[in-house]
Amino acid sequence: MMKTKLTSALLAGTFLTLPALAHERAVDFPDTPDGRVVLAADLHTHSVFSDGEVWPSLRAAEAHRDGLEFMAVTEHLEHQPHKADIPHPDRNRSYEIASEKASKAEYDDLMIINGAEVTRGPPHGHINAIFLKDANALLVDDPKDAMKAARAQGAFVFLNHPNWLPQSPDGIARLTDYHKDLIKEGLLQGLEVINGTLDGHSEHALQIALDNHLTVLGTSDIHGLVDWTHNAGTGGHRPMTLVLSKDRSQAAFKQALLDGNTVAWSHNDLLGREDNMKAFVGGCLSLVPEAFDGKYTVLNVDIVNACPIDFTLINMSDETFQNTGDAVYAKRESRTPVAVRMKGIEADIALKFEVANAQVGFRTPLVMELRSLIPAGEK
Ligand SMILES: [Zn+2]
Ligand SMILES: [Zn+2]
């Protein structure tokens, strides 16, 4: 992957703003400052084996192009509009076909996860179970029994699109008593705060996830082509979950999901728990100051953004900028210069920003400090 190459190219750059780089379709993220890897995952996808419009092998091909490390196949178990054309008594077939494609040598960065979407009316709604050994075991009458069957297989279970208008006409995500019971009984561990079919995010859902210790998730819930739905390949990308993991193994990935170490991402919107968000954004953004000789009291500093996300930063430092106001737009994979009015010669520079596109609670943006040593200038 491109990670170190891009990050080091950005860090080695001069104080000129780089020309816009050709954006890679395959997303890639720097490690967090505490040494974790950031794994890109889409944990909610469909094919013709439920109500999607493509063959499962094409889902694997798209995921590979998008730079995903993990993709879950989650066909609706009960909603089967193509059943007459594509009979498949074994509900693991879609996973098997996608896995076979992903087993090819050139796909070795991608792992396919078996899953299913238990699709019922209210109050159950749509709930995904992933890391299944056998999806057929979830084909039972009582949806709660399906959840129990999933958990008996060691599955990770999450509630889909709680702000879906047919279920929530005012667009506000709420947790029903039924779902509160599922949480209490250990049958629900995650919540979608971003779902691609809704093309939006839910800060209400984020707050619910935080209040109930549910893992924060963003998924595409893709049914058509990723290219057409999300402009992948022409600057866009599918919604996904960025998982902060000890290493790239499936065991570490699953443990990170269980521990809630995720950030949900769509367009330039990021949602997550504050500690995760701080770690993730801390991997993306850094300060590279010019040497400071004190002749003038303005210090040139580049804000380096090594991530494929445009950041909107609001300056909250005591220091102000000579070249721009307090709103700074740190474009994806580039360097943004700010000229800082310093109070004197100092050994390091610290700038405090509100990161307006990174939410860590209901209408609560992340606030974080970026800090770097200032190279000594000639006196
Ligand atoms: Zn569907
Ligand atoms: Zn779905």
Side-chain angles (χ1 to χ4, degrees):
M1 287 230 160
M2 299 296 295
K3 175 173 300 110
T4 40
K5 224 192 283 175
L6 175 67
T7 309
S8 41
L10 283 166
L11 288 171
T14 65
F15 272 82
L16 302 169
T17 307
L18 289 181
L21 299 168
H23 298 313
E24 293 272 344
R25 171 172 178 152
V27 296
D28 192 26
F29 299 92
D31 295 351
T32 61
D34 59 11
R36 285 177 290 173
V37 292
V38 176
L39 303 175
D42 187 356
L43 304 177
H44 188 166
T45 68
H46 295 279
S47 78
V48 288
F49 282 70
S50 59
D51 60 344
E53 296 183 78
V54 308
W55 196 252
S57 57
L58 196 109
R59 282 282 170 259
E62 288 175 318
H64 174 65
R65 285 184 176 224
D66 288 348
L68 299 186
E69 269 103 353
F70 292 90
M71 184 192 83
V73 175
T74 56
E75 309 293 1
H76 298 279
L77 284 179
E78 299 83 357
H79 180 47
Q80 289 275 316
H82 306 312
K83 203 174 168 182
D85 298 306
I86 307 168
H88 54 287
D90 180 1
R91 297 310 185 83
N92 302 301
R93 272 307 286 156
S94 177
Y95 159 72
E96 287 167 5
I97 295 166
S99 289
E100 195 189 320
K101 180 80 169 178
S103 70
K104 301 200 183 319
E106 67 268 31
Y107 283 54
D108 65 350
D109 282 345
L110 174 66
M111 272 191 250
I112 307 293
I113 299 167
N114 196 7
E117 180 165 11
V118 177
T119 313
R120 307 289 180 99
H124 181 88
H126 298 190
I127 294 185
N128 278 7
I130 61 169
F131 301 110
L132 290 178
K133 293 181 177 78
D134 179 12
N136 299 306
L138 276 62
L139 277 165
V140 291
D141 286 342
D142 183 344
K144 213 168 182 180
D145 287 342
M147 300 296 92
K148 287 177 185 163
R151 291 290 292 131
Q153 296 183 24
F156 175 81
V157 180
F158 60 94
L159 176 61
N160 301 340
H161 47 64
N163 54 323
W164 187 36
L165 292 176
Q167 281 170 1
S168 168
D170 58 4
I172 295 176
R174 292 179 187 83
L175 217 47
T176 66
D177 289 341
Y178 174 85
H179 296 111
K180 285 177 193 163
D181 284 345
L182 288 184
I183 294 169
K184 252 185 247 152
E185 293 172 46
L187 299 174
L188 193 62
Q189 298 142 302
L191 184 65
E192 282 185 350
V193 303
I194 288 170
N195 175 291
T197 57
L198 272 51
D199 194 29
H201 75 232
S202 172
E203 293 184 25
H204 297 96
L206 172 63
Q207 196 58 52
I208 291 170
L210 297 174
D211 293 344
N212 293 276
H213 307 289
L214 298 172
T215 301
V216 172
L217 301 167
T219 74
S220 73
D221 194 3
I222 188 73
H223 290 73
L225 291 173
V226 171
D227 286 61
W228 291 355
T229 311
H230 300 293
N231 301 319
T234 52
H237 65 85
R238 72 170 88 197
M240 58 183 85
T241 304
L242 308 174
V243 180
L244 281 49
S245 175
K246 192 166 61 75
D247 59 49
R248 294 180 178 275
S249 69
Q250 181 160 312
F253 172 80
K254 187 177 177 186
Q255 190 57 51
L257 276 181
L258 290 169
D259 293 342
N261 292 332
T262 61
V263 168
W265 176 41
S266 172
H267 301 287
N268 292 313
D269 286 334
L270 297 162
L271 290 93
R273 210 172 66 199
E274 187 177 15
D275 58 336
N276 293 320
M277 191 65 81
K278 219 167 231 177
F280 173 73
V281 176
C284 293
L285 300 179
S286 57
L287 298 182
V288 180
E290 221 173 21
F292 194 36
D293 60 12
K295 186 177 169 199
Y296 303 114
T297 55
V298 173
L299 173 68
N300 291 316
V301 180
D302 270 6
I303 301 171
V304 175
N305 177 2
C307 285
I309 299 167
D310 293 338
F311 281 94
T312 300
L313 306 174
I314 310 297
N315 181 27
M316 296 180 74
S317 323
D318 293 337
E319 293 83 358
T320 57
F321 304 138
Q322 165 89 355
N323 65 330
T324 180
D326 280 332
V328 178
Y329 304 99
K331 293 276 180 209
R332 59 191 282 183
E333 293 155 351
S334 61
R335 299 167 70 109
T336 303
V338 289
V340 185
R341 297 187 181 100
M342 301 291 282
K343 293 189 191 107
I345 297 183
E346 287 164 38
D348 61 0
I349 169 90
L351 295 175
K352 190 162 133 189
F353 290 107
E354 177 186 296
V355 186
N357 58 307
Q359 302 300 310
V360 294
F362 181 68
R363 302 190 80 177
T364 309
L366 173 73
V367 174
M368 75 179 287
E369 192 177 72
L370 300 175
R371 185 178 280 274
S372 173
L373 288 172
I374 302 172
E378 286 169 35
K379 298 275 159 66

